[in-house]
Amino acid sequence: MSDFTCLNLIGENFVASSDGGTFTHLRPHDGTTLTQVADSGFIDVVMAVQAANKAWVKWQKAEAAERIKYLLAIADALEAKAPELALAQALDQGTPIRVGRTLSVPR
């Protein structure tokens, strides 16, 4: 996992921090590198807030059926990735993978 860099989700795109900076995220159980994470700053926050406000305008105008369609698609995508999410959470928090599989991820 250490070759992966966690990016910012701004609008519909995953992007590096505006200045390209990253920080190292360590595994809590042994201190080894888990991944690199975009080191976001003020400009990144402003861009994310602007994108969220733009999305909110569209979301407010959407019919209930359309909102439900999006929420169910998100739920399906999360369910499909549940094993990977459980592993990522176990590595991130230093907990047994069964905790992610049975408690954290299903919530």
Side-chain angles (χ1 to χ4, degrees):
M1 276 194 153
S2 61
D3 294 335
F4 178 76
T5 299
C6 293
L7 302 173
N8 296 320
L9 176 59
I10 298 179
E12 297 178 10
N13 302 303
F14 287 97
V15 296
S17 62
S18 58
D19 66 3
T22 62
F23 65 89
T24 302
H25 183 60
L26 303 175
R27 290 182 176 97
H29 72 282
D30 65 5
T32 60
T33 298
L34 177 59
T35 191
Q36 296 295 311
V37 179
D39 193 5
S40 304
F42 181 77
I43 293 170
D44 303 299
V45 172
V46 169
M47 290 175 16
V49 168
Q50 288 173 344
N53 286 334
K54 184 178 175 183
W56 177 243
V57 170
K58 287 177 69 175
W59 185 255
Q60 285 179 306
K61 293 177 182 177
E63 295 291 328
E66 186 177 2
R67 289 183 188 188
I68 290 169
K69 180 182 78 172
Y70 284 117
L71 293 173
L72 290 174
I74 292 167
D76 289 344
L78 289 172
E79 231 173 52
K81 295 287 186 178
E84 293 170 59
L85 293 170
L87 175 60
Q89 182 158 4
L91 293 171
D92 177 58
Q93 296 181 351
T95 57
I97 194 165
R98 74 179 178 286
V99 171
R101 285 187 190 139
T102 59
L103 294 175
S104 305
V105 172
R107 291 185 194 169

